[in-house]
Amino acid sequence: MKTKCTFFAESARILNEETVMDVIREKTEELEQEDPFYILDVGDIVEKVKLWKMKLPRVKPFYAVKCNNHPTVLKILAALGTGFDCASKAEIQNVLQLGVDQTRIIFANPCKPLSHLRSASKLQIPLMTFDSESELQKISVYYPEAKLVIRIRVDATDALVSLGKKFGVLPGDAETLLVAAHTLGLNVVGVAFHVGSGCRDPSAFHQAIISAKMVVEKAVAIGFQPYLLDIGGGFPGTHNPPIDDFAEHINIALDEFFPEGCGFEIIAEPGRYMVASAFTLATNIFGKREITDTDGALESIMYFINDGIYGSFVNVVNHHQKFHFLLIKKQDDDETVLPCSIWGPTCDSADQVVPETSLPNMPCGQWLMWPEMGAYTLAKAGTFNGFPIPEVIVVVPYTIWLWFEEHPHHRVSMISVETQTD
Ligand SMILES: Cc1ncc(COP(=O)(O)O)c(C=O)c1O
């Protein structure tokens, strides 16, 4: 079956009839297997890109590298022709090394260290965001030819992470900043916003697009010729809810305020959307503690797994994110469930992944599977207490593998991937 392997690493596993669950089960049944691991399903990313094209045909995705910079993720998205949102010079270099053209990159960090700004200038990265006068001063010295995108603050009422408390000028204050840019002789080409990561309020995009339009009008009045609207990230990464509601709000607002033919390019910076559901984590229960009442009856169980809040579950502490998991059953356990908690492997008592749940009384050696773990997990994980970051096993559905192997150096039209996979 595996005749050539130019695009994917030799280690990528081709899926014929098997599912991700089959691969996980097989791996956990290996005698020596104890360490946690991820399965990265390339097919899921390809499907997400296809879906995006279908639901948001006017919006070009610039993937937010910070969300998950696994080399296979970047390589697939580069081949599929997306753009990239980079936050630092390292991310820019990472993307350029894949042969991605500078015009497919936006340096979307509104407050950049000087050396990163100089590097962007040297590498001729055209687009970058700003939201303060001090950033404009830096840019006017180190990269005056940059095409600038003003980041405005428009917060969703319900989001996992509100970015507005750190970034974005209030739409009402944008004019002063635009005048400052004009006085410095800089070139403002567009408006950007981010409603908040893990947004649960699709109507926020509608309001944000209205605000962006108002700022565009101010920019025109000052003398700029803006042509770019960047609607940021915030889209759900899970299969449920899908992006349908988001797409509907966005498409309606775009039709009204940035209609086709108005001369505006529309881009977005999805992170979570592209990768969350493509990664499934498997963790091993390597320890347990039974808590009994004064009569010696079993009250609850503490389970210890080999990945925690200093690894893949880092968002538990920062964003009170709830994770869900499934049991990978190796044997028929007693179905009676007990109150229990799930803890990470380090010696820190804060290293708790799930404070309260119900599970059967299981022996050590059982595995827990955590779906939809691709966003802000691996990219933020550390090795506190010496526990390693889980390895990533790449799996590729056969039709997709074949397509990439045959077109390793070409940008793919989503339509052609569709023809191949259906
Ligand atoms: C500037 C910027 N763009 C895009 C993203 C990606 O957001 P999300 O993963 O919610 O799509 C982030 C996330 O922090 C961001 O800061």
Side-chain angles (χ1 to χ4, degrees):
M1 186 69 73
K2 219 170 175 181
T3 49
K4 54 190 168 157
C5 204
T6 49
F7 189 84
F8 290 103
E10 283 295 338
S11 54
R13 164 143 178 200
I14 300 164
L15 295 184
N16 290 299
E17 299 295 305
E18 316 91 295
T19 63
V20 166
M21 187 64 177
D22 293 332
V23 178
I24 293 178
R25 200 166 271 131
E26 199 181 292
K27 178 92 180 152
T28 58
E29 280 164 8
E30 283 172 16
L31 213 57
E32 298 293 314
Q33 184 61 36
E34 189 208 17
D35 289 337
F37 61 92
Y38 277 97
I39 302 290
L40 159 55
D41 179 6
V42 170
D44 197 88
I45 297 181
V46 173
E47 286 307 317
K48 285 286 187 72
V49 176
K50 278 162 55 179
L51 195 68
W52 181 283
K53 286 258 170 183
M54 219 161 68
K55 303 280 178 188
L56 289 161
R58 291 186 57 209
V59 186
K60 181 164 185 194
F62 278 54
Y63 172 64
V65 176
K66 62 182 80 70
C67 187
N68 188 323
N69 63 357
H70 189 273
T72 302
V73 170
L74 301 186
K75 204 171 163 183
I76 294 289
L77 291 173
L80 292 175
T82 72
F84 292 89
D85 148 17
C86 297
S88 62
K89 65 177 176 184
E91 286 191 355
I92 291 172
Q93 275 152 1
N94 216 350
V95 169
L96 289 176
Q97 272 164 15
L98 296 166
V100 170
D101 189 78
Q102 285 92 327
T103 54
R104 286 166 63 193
I105 294 176
I106 180 165
F107 194 174
N109 185 340
C111 196
K112 295 166 277 296
L114 272 193
S115 59
H116 296 233
L117 193 52
R118 272 197 239 108
S119 173
S121 166
K122 203 164 140 210
L123 296 167
Q124 294 290 292
I125 305 302
L127 284 173
M128 60 179 61
T129 58
F130 72 98
D131 66 357
S132 69
E133 208 162 325
S134 100
E135 190 70 3
L136 288 174
Q137 298 286 353
K138 283 191 294 186
I139 295 170
S140 72
V141 174
Y142 294 99
Y143 196 7
E145 316 79 40
K147 294 178 176 171
L148 303 182
V149 181
I150 184 167
R151 164 106 168 242
I152 57 169
R153 175 176 185 177
V154 198
D155 298 336
T157 48
D158 188 7
L160 214 48
V161 190
S162 167
L163 295 164
K165 65 181 176 193
K166 186 169 180 188
F167 294 116
V169 59
L170 287 169
D173 297 335
E175 191 170 0
T176 314
L177 206 50
L178 288 168
V179 169
H182 200 254
T183 309
L184 286 166
L186 299 173
N187 182 16
V188 176
V189 301
V191 180
F193 59 77
H194 194 309
V195 296
S197 191
C199 173
R200 286 174 289 228
D201 166 24
S203 70
F205 280 90
H206 193 103
Q207 191 47 51
I209 290 169
I210 295 175
S211 299
K213 174 72 178 193
M214 277 159 40
V215 175
V216 161
E217 281 165 357
K218 283 186 180 133
V220 171
I222 290 166
F224 294 114
Q225 291 176 312
Y227 63 84
L228 188 80
L229 171 66
D230 176 355
I231 65 170
F235 309 90
T238 53
H239 288 294
N240 191 19
I243 54 161
D244 297 46
D245 275 359
F246 290 80
E248 202 180 321
H249 279 276
I250 291 165
N251 291 334
I252 289 172
L254 289 181
D255 284 350
E256 188 173 349
F257 300 102
F258 294 88
E260 214 141 356
C262 72
F264 263 73
E265 273 173 47
I266 320 288
I267 69 169
E269 301 166 0
R272 210 177 276 283
Y273 169 81
M274 291 292 182
V275 289
S277 54
F279 285 73
T280 306
L281 174 66
T283 58
N284 186 251
I285 296 176
F286 67 90
K288 65 187 277 198
R289 176 128 58 101
E290 297 184 348
I291 317 286
T292 50
D293 65 16
T294 44
D295 300 326
L298 186 56
E299 234 176 17
S300 64
I301 303 173
M302 295 166 71
Y303 285 115
F304 293 77
I305 60 171
N306 47 7
D307 198 354
I309 68 160
Y310 297 103
S312 301
F313 297 97
V314 55
N315 280 344
V316 170
V317 260
N318 294 333
H319 310 312
H320 309 289
Q321 195 165 337
K322 288 200 173 64
F323 297 92
H324 63 285
F325 59 88
L326 300 164
L327 209 53
I328 305 171
K329 282 202 160 186
K330 285 181 174 175
Q331 71 224 9
D332 270 330
D333 294 304
D334 180 359
E335 285 306 321
T336 323
V337 292
L338 289 158
C340 59
S341 49
I342 302 176
W343 301 76
T346 67
C347 293
D348 185 350
S349 62
D351 193 0
Q352 188 185 49
V353 179
V354 179
E356 269 181 38
T357 185
S358 303
L359 279 169
N361 191 352
M362 298 175 292
C364 292
Q366 252 289 8
W367 288 82
L368 297 179
M369 180 178 111
W370 309 77
E372 300 174 331
M373 285 288 287
Y376 307 107
T377 48
L378 265 179
K380 290 170 108 178
T383 57
F384 184 48
N385 278 216
F387 287 98
I389 294 167
E391 72 162 314
V392 177
I393 298 167
V394 178
V395 301
V396 194
Y398 177 66
T399 46
I400 289 173
W401 176 82
L402 198 63
W403 204 95
F404 278 107
E405 292 300 318
E406 286 174 353
H407 306 79
H409 305 300
H410 301 284
R411 280 175 50 184
V412 185
S413 131
M414 244 36 71
I415 309 300
S416 49
V417 174
E418 203 149 40
T419 322
Q420 293 289 328
T421 54
D422 286 351

XYZ file of all heavy atoms in Angstrom, residues 17 53 89 105 112 114 124 130 164 186 189 227 234 251 268 272 278 360 362 388 392:
165
model
N -9.982 1.087 6.663
C -11.307 0.959 7.276
C -11.300 1.411 8.740
O -12.332 1.700 9.315
C -11.756 -0.511 7.237
C -11.893 -1.093 5.832
C -12.991 -0.413 5.039
O -14.122 -0.370 5.528
O -12.690 0.111 3.943
N -14.771 26.738 3.573
C -14.970 27.265 2.210
C -16.447 27.281 1.830
O -16.911 28.175 1.135
C -14.226 26.378 1.205
C -12.747 26.565 1.230
C -12.320 27.424 0.055
C -10.869 27.810 0.205
N -10.438 28.695 -0.870
N 8.282 36.373 15.726
C 9.191 36.107 14.597
C 9.424 34.605 14.438
O 9.595 34.132 13.320
C 10.505 36.880 14.737
C 11.394 36.516 15.888
C 12.686 37.341 15.831
C 13.551 37.062 17.044
N 14.742 37.875 17.101
N 0.720 35.831 5.119
C 0.969 35.950 6.571
C 0.469 37.297 7.070
O 0.680 38.320 6.422
C 2.483 35.829 6.877
C 2.966 34.411 6.539
C 2.771 36.168 8.341
C 4.457 34.215 6.714
N 4.351 44.401 19.439
C 5.452 43.521 19.034
C 6.791 43.961 19.634
O 7.126 45.163 19.567
C 5.561 43.548 17.496
C 4.321 42.961 16.811
C 4.248 43.272 15.332
C 3.669 44.630 15.037
N 2.243 44.816 15.444
N 10.647 44.831 19.677
C 11.397 45.490 18.588
C 12.090 44.516 17.642
O 12.034 44.669 16.422
C 12.459 46.412 19.193
C 12.031 47.839 19.507
C 13.256 48.699 19.803
C 11.245 48.446 18.351
N 10.098 41.156 5.023
C 9.067 41.780 4.178
C 7.679 41.170 4.372
O 6.980 40.835 3.412
C 9.467 41.683 2.692
C 10.707 42.505 2.346
C 10.423 44.003 2.411
O 9.675 44.535 1.612
N 11.003 44.673 3.394
N -2.025 46.777 14.860
C -1.585 47.702 15.921
C -2.829 48.164 16.669
O -3.949 48.103 16.131
C -0.848 48.923 15.326
C -1.762 49.888 14.618
C -2.229 51.042 15.252
C -2.194 49.629 13.327
C -3.090 51.931 14.596
C -3.062 50.512 12.665
C -3.505 51.658 13.305
N -10.278 41.179 24.738
C -10.453 42.632 24.733
C -9.838 43.318 25.932
O -9.508 44.501 25.876
N 2.109 56.797 7.965
C 1.963 55.335 7.851
C 0.751 54.980 6.987
O -0.104 55.823 6.712
C 1.844 54.718 9.247
C 3.071 54.953 10.142
C 2.815 54.464 11.559
C 4.307 54.254 9.559
N -4.358 49.947 6.140
C -5.089 49.305 5.037
C -6.337 48.558 5.490
O -7.100 48.060 4.662
C -4.178 48.334 4.247
C -2.976 49.045 3.675
C -3.767 47.141 5.111
N -8.734 48.401 2.488
C -9.306 47.354 1.630
C -9.403 46.002 2.338
O -9.750 45.004 1.737
C -8.464 47.188 0.351
C -7.038 46.720 0.642
C -6.740 45.379 0.826
C -6.002 47.646 0.765
C -5.455 44.962 1.117
C -4.718 47.235 1.056
C -4.453 45.890 1.226
O -3.182 45.492 1.536
N -12.209 32.935 17.215
C -13.335 32.807 18.136
C -14.313 31.712 17.748
O -15.255 31.437 18.485
N -22.140 36.185 7.367
C -22.496 36.404 5.958
C -23.542 37.504 5.813
O -23.458 38.336 4.910
C -22.986 35.099 5.324
C -21.839 34.090 5.181
O -20.683 34.490 5.082
N -22.161 32.807 5.183
N -9.989 35.944 8.115
C -10.258 35.604 9.524
C -9.017 34.915 10.073
O -8.132 34.511 9.300
C -11.472 34.693 9.621
N -8.678 27.598 17.097
C -9.487 26.507 17.640
C -10.268 25.742 16.555
O -10.300 24.516 16.546
C -10.493 27.171 18.590
C -10.948 26.395 19.741
C -11.885 27.297 20.556
N -11.186 28.173 21.484
C -10.671 27.796 22.641
N -10.789 26.550 23.021
N -10.046 28.639 23.438
N -9.375 17.674 15.685
C -8.459 16.758 14.983
C -7.565 15.974 15.945
O -6.949 14.983 15.549
C -7.593 17.544 14.010
N -16.512 4.030 37.225
C -16.482 2.755 37.931
C -15.178 2.628 38.734
O -14.239 3.384 38.499
C -16.512 1.712 36.808
C -16.659 2.427 35.530
C -16.424 3.882 35.768
N -11.952 1.240 38.987
C -11.106 0.582 37.987
C -9.714 0.338 38.530
O -9.222 1.081 39.379
C -10.977 1.482 36.749
C -12.281 1.759 36.053
S -12.015 2.937 34.725
C -11.619 4.409 35.649
N 6.874 14.150 30.448
C 7.032 14.548 29.043
C 5.734 15.005 28.403
O 4.643 14.647 28.840
C 7.510 13.254 28.372
C 6.967 12.160 29.228
C 6.926 12.693 30.641
N 2.794 12.606 19.358
C 1.649 12.744 18.457
C 1.754 11.683 17.359
O 2.772 11.599 16.662
C 1.612 14.145 17.816
C 0.449 14.265 16.825
C 1.493 15.225 18.885
